[in-house]
């Protein structure tokens, strides 16, 4: 028969599988062994052999496509004599075991034939790493893969019917699938029902399975590479569009170590004593989170970044910054439902991870300390934005279920550093629950840093420091003192007049709005000679 006429599977195939489902024993299998080999095992092996011949070099070089491909009916049930009522086979990464890593699989059951991607039942480590990398790259992978998945009718997170819990609702988009893992299985598949399988010619079935394997292969690359997107893009471009000079270095898959940044270097750059910085670092590590607070111009963000550089230095952790504002929400920071364009032109509303969960997904795949800086933390409604995080910040070793149903625990290597401008909101007004969960690191105007900075620029700071000391004394509230960062410029001599007129005086006008006589003492024409002397 020609390929267009020959069928790999017949109604007899499914009758045999149904009989094994009714009597799932090795004895029943052995009694019909020849029929099972003829109608089920050999056709499945032939299918994989024909699919292998359709695979490009990129797949053949990466996956084992010849040895130990098809499983057995016999169950590993400690000699009880049970048998599976289905048969499956898979291509899997070279130098690994079929049951412990990524699989491009075909399973034939009494009801259908399934083609999909999954992680082996004994691959808990591979599964955990895959989920971390899947979630860290979910949006980018969805933009590359979801259209094809949708057109192929891919079902996300679905296992065999007998393993599906009651009331289970499968994800409908790639991003939703990624976000719901591991609550849903990191598996996806396409189903071909019994009637369609027996009608498909050998060539048509081989073509369909081959196309799906090529579609799912990028997910195997996610398993195999710490930085999978360059490998996925190279595969999707194909050999026709490949740049012969393009190489993806193996080191691209290894998170690069951040430069070591010693406490001594931190002290030299910030101007704060080593013993004080050491106490601050200990506090951040002990609590897991801290807030650097002080009046405007004290270098809060600068100090937070330097502390983060020290904490992450020498490790492979990540360091990121997010700025809060009055409209920032729980959905932005933790997770929430977002409208996303579907391939068919409609809208879907998956549950999408916010900034903090995205950051934690990245940090969880690293060994070193990872730091998220939350700039202007008090400009948002922190209790509302943090939600369940308020509990987790205090009980770092526990897990909670978020509002969207996602189980979550803060990774042990995550640190939070917030910055708080006390001119916007005094620390005395901060929610007591928040204060209890954070260490608070106070910054005050550090005139020694100002003097040291300008020792290299030639600007004499004695008069400026005297004026700042006087104005802060009259302000008489440390939450509103004027800091030094306004004046940390190498061209200060040329800019100081504009800085004072356009930045300092408007600030003082607001503070002394009902005390104009005090404001007049610090007009530029009154302090100019002293500052420039």
């Amino acid at each position: 028969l020609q390929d267009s006429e020959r069928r790999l599977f017949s109604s007899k195939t499914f009758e045999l599988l149904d009989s094994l489902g009714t009597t799932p024993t090795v004895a029943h299998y052995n009694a019909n062994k020849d029929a099972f080999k003829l109608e089920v095992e050999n056709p499945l092996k032939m299918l994989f052999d024909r699919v292998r011949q359709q695979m490009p070099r990129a797949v053949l070089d990466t996956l084992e496509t010849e040895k130990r491909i098809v499983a057995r009916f016999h169950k590993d049930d400690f000699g009880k004599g049970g048998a599976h009522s289905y048969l499956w086979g898979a291509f899997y990464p070279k130098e690994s075991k079929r049951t412990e890593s990524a699989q491009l699989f075909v399973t034939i059951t009494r009801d259908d034939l399934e083609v999909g991607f999954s992680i082996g039942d004994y691959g808990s480590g591979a599964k955990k790493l895959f989920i971390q990398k899947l979630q860290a790259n979910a949006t980018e992978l969805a933009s590359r893969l979801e259209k094809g998945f949708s057109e192929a009718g891919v079902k996300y997170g679905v296992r065999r019917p007998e393993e599906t819990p009651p009331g289970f609702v499968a994800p409908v988009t790639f991003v939703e699938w990624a976000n719901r893992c591991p609550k849903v299985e990191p598996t996806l598949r396409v189903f071909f029902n019994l009637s369609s399988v027996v009608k498909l010619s050998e060539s048509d079935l081989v073509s369909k399975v081959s196309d799906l394997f090529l579609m799912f292969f990028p997910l195997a690359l996610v398993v195999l590479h710490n930085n999978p997107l360059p490998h996925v893009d190279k595969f999707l471009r194909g050999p026709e569009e490949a740049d012969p000079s393009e190489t993806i270095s193996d080191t691209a898959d290894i998170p690069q170590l951040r430069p070591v940044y010693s406490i001594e270097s931190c002290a030299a750059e910030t101007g704060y004593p080593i013993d004080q910085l050491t106490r601050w670092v200990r506090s951040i590590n002990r609590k897991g989170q801290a807030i650097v607070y002080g009046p405007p111009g004290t270098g809060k963000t600068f100090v937070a970044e330097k502390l983060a550089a020290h904490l992450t230095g020498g490790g492979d952790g990540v360091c990121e910054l997010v700025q809060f504002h009055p409209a920032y929400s729980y959905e932005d920071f933790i997770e929430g439902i977002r409208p996303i364009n579907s391939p068919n032109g409609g809208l879907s509303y998956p549950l999408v991870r916010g900034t903090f969960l995205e950051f934690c997904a990245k940090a969880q795949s690293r060994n070193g300390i990872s730091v998220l800086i939350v700039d202007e933390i008090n400009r948002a409604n922190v209790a509302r934005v943090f939600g369940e995080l308020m509990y987790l910040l205090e009980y770092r070793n526990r897990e909670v279920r978020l509002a969207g149903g996602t189980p979550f625990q803060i990774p042990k290597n995550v640190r939070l550093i917030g910055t708080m401008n006390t001119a916007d909101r005094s620390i005395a007004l901060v929610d007591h629950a928040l204060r209890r969960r954070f260490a608070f690191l106070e910054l005050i105007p550090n005139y020694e840093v100002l003097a040291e900075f300008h020792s290299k620029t030639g600007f004499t700071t004695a008069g400026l420091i005297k004026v700042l000391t006087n104005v802060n004394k009259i302000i008489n509230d440390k939450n509103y003192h004027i800091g030094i960062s306004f004046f940390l410029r190498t061209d200060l001599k040329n800019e100081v007049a504009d800085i004072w007129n356009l930045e300092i005086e408007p600030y003082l006008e607001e503070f002394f709005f009902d005390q104009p006589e005090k404001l007049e003492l610090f007009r530029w024409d009154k302090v100019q000679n002293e500052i420039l002397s």
Side-chain angles (χ1 to χ4, degrees):
L1 292 177
Q2 298 295 319
D3 283 354
S4 60
E5 300 174 356
R6 188 167 52 232
R7 305 288 187 266
L8 282 174
F9 301 104
S10 67
S11 58
K12 180 66 174 178
T13 303
F14 293 95
E15 290 171 7
L16 286 165
L17 290 168
D18 186 58
S19 71
L20 195 55
T22 304
T23 312
T25 65
V26 173
H28 177 76
Y29 167 80
N30 287 335
N32 300 275
K33 189 173 184 177
D34 291 343
F36 275 107
K37 283 188 176 295
L38 179 65
E39 299 288 346
V40 187
E41 295 172 77
N42 290 342
L44 188 60
K45 290 177 181 178
M46 186 179 297
L47 173 62
F48 273 101
D49 185 61
R50 289 290 309 280
V51 169
R52 177 181 59 79
Q53 297 173 34
Q54 303 297 314
M55 292 296 100
R57 178 52 55 188
V59 175
L60 298 176
D61 289 344
T62 304
L63 302 183
E64 178 57 65
T65 59
E66 297 185 62
K67 301 175 184 176
R68 301 180 62 82
I69 300 303
V70 177
R72 301 184 306 163
F73 279 111
H74 294 206
K75 269 187 178 181
D76 183 9
D77 57 2
F78 307 101
K80 295 179 182 178
H84 296 292
S85 59
Y86 56 86
L87 189 65
W88 68 283
F91 292 161
Y92 55 96
K94 292 181 181 292
E95 311 302 327
S96 66
K97 294 183 178 180
R98 186 182 61 230
T99 57
E100 295 180 1
S101 191
Q103 306 170 355
L104 303 182
F105 69 84
V106 176
T107 300
I108 186 162
T109 76
R110 63 169 87 179
D111 300 311
D112 54 37
L113 183 140
E114 305 166 9
V115 184
F117 165 86
S118 189
I119 307 291
D121 290 341
Y122 299 98
S124 57
K127 183 182 293 187
K128 181 178 180 181
L129 287 174
F130 172 70
I131 291 172
Q132 291 169 359
K133 290 182 281 186
L134 174 69
Q135 293 179 340
N137 297 280
T139 303
E140 292 84 356
L141 288 169
S143 70
R144 293 157 171 80
L145 306 177
E146 186 165 36
K147 185 175 186 295
F149 286 4
S150 178
E151 292 173 351
V154 166
K155 304 298 183 184
Y156 296 99
V158 178
R159 294 185 68 98
R160 289 181 289 274
E162 65 271 18
E163 298 175 355
T164 303
F168 173 78
V169 178
V172 294
T173 68
F174 188 98
V175 172
E176 183 189 359
W177 172 58
N179 288 339
R180 287 176 61 186
C181 288
K183 185 178 179 181
V184 300
E185 285 293 326
T187 186
L188 45 79
R189 62 190 69 199
V190 173
F191 295 87
F192 297 91
N193 62 38
L194 182 159
S195 60
S196 65
V197 173
V198 298
K199 292 177 183 177
L200 283 171
S201 68
E202 178 180 327
S203 59
D204 286 343
L205 183 57
V206 168
S207 177
K208 288 181 180 296
V209 173
S210 298
D211 288 346
L212 289 171
F213 273 17
L214 292 175
M215 189 181 298
F216 296 148
F217 179 68
L219 295 177
L221 296 175
V222 174
V223 176
L224 297 173
H225 299 287
N226 290 330
N227 181 28
L229 290 179
H231 297 272
V232 170
D233 287 338
K234 184 177 181 180
F235 173 74
L236 293 177
R237 285 199 301 271
E240 297 82 6
E241 299 183 32
D243 180 351
S245 64
E246 179 187 18
T247 59
I248 302 175
S249 170
D250 289 340
T251 58
D253 295 329
I254 303 172
Q256 298 299 299
L257 299 183
R258 300 179 68 85
V260 173
Y261 185 69
S262 68
I263 200 72
E264 290 79 13
S265 297
C266 188
E269 290 202 58
T270 62
Y272 287 93
I274 290 176
D275 60 343
Q276 183 174 8
L277 291 171
T278 302
R279 286 198 304 274
W280 286 355
V281 169
R282 283 202 307 266
S283 296
I284 295 170
N285 283 324
R286 183 182 68 254
K287 298 286 289 186
Q289 51 273 342
I291 289 177
V292 179
Y293 72 100
T298 46
K300 296 177 289 296
T301 303
F302 177 78
V303 170
E305 289 175 339
K306 296 304 177 183
L307 289 171
H310 173 67
L311 287 162
T312 59
D316 64 349
V318 292
C319 183
E320 295 181 0
L321 183 146
V322 59
Q323 187 175 69
F324 277 9
H325 51 77
Y328 211 79
S329 67
Y330 175 92
E331 291 76 14
D332 296 318
F333 196 59
I334 306 298
E335 66 176 10
I337 294 173
R338 305 279 179 82
I340 293 180
N341 287 326
S342 299
N344 61 9
L347 286 176
S348 60
Y349 297 87
L351 189 65
V352 176
R353 291 177 302 165
T355 303
F356 185 65
L357 265 64
E358 287 277 3
F359 175 81
C360 287
K362 298 174 188 175
Q364 198 166 19
S365 65
R366 311 294 178 90
N367 295 314
I369 296 295
S370 292
V371 179
L372 179 65
I373 299 171
V374 183
D375 200 33
E376 304 283 6
I377 192 171
N378 56 321
R379 296 193 68 226
N381 185 330
V382 179
R384 180 177 295 172
V385 171
F386 277 17
E388 300 89 348
L389 192 57
M390 295 291 284
Y391 175 85
L392 292 174
L393 290 175
E394 186 166 11
Y395 301 103
R396 282 286 194 120
N397 61 335
R398 299 187 186 178
E399 178 181 279
V400 299
R401 194 168 293 279
L402 301 177
T406 308
F408 177 67
Q409 179 181 7
I410 301 175
K412 293 180 180 179
N413 63 335
V414 165
R415 306 289 184 269
L416 277 176
I417 301 179
T419 69
M420 178 181 290
N421 187 339
T422 53
D424 289 335
R425 187 183 187 191
S426 167
I427 188 175
L429 302 177
V430 175
D431 183 275
H432 181 70
L434 184 69
R435 294 180 65 180
R436 191 174 73 248
R437 287 160 172 79
F438 282 80
F440 279 77
L441 317 178
E442 184 179 26
L443 299 190
I444 59 175
N446 191 333
Y447 303 125
E448 292 180 5
V449 172
L450 182 62
E452 174 63 23
F453 180 87
H454 284 291
S455 66
K456 305 178 183 66
T457 69
F459 184 89
T460 303
T461 58
L464 175 60
I465 290 173
K466 183 177 179 181
V467 171
L468 290 175
T469 301
N470 290 337
V471 72
N472 285 336
K473 184 176 181 180
I474 291 179
I475 287 175
N476 196 30
D477 185 336
K478 66 178 183 178
N479 293 318
Y480 295 90
H481 283 175
I482 296 173
I484 63 168
S485 65
F486 298 99
F487 310 100
L488 296 178
R489 299 179 56 95
T490 56
D491 58 350
L492 184 61
K493 186 173 183 178
N494 297 326
E495 299 293 333
V496 66
D498 286 343
I499 291 171
W500 197 272
N501 279 299
L502 303 178
E503 298 178 50
I504 305 303
E505 282 194 25
Y507 178 78
L508 294 176
E509 285 173 357
E510 182 178 355
F511 188 81
F512 292 127
F513 75 96
D514 59 346
Q515 298 174 295
E517 69 282 0
K518 292 183 179 179
L519 171 63
E520 290 305 314
L521 296 174
F522 299 102
R523 292 290 186 185
W524 176 244
D525 59 351
K526 298 288 179 38
V527 299
Q528 174 180 1
N529 291 337
E530 190 168 10
I531 288 176
L532 296 177
S533 62

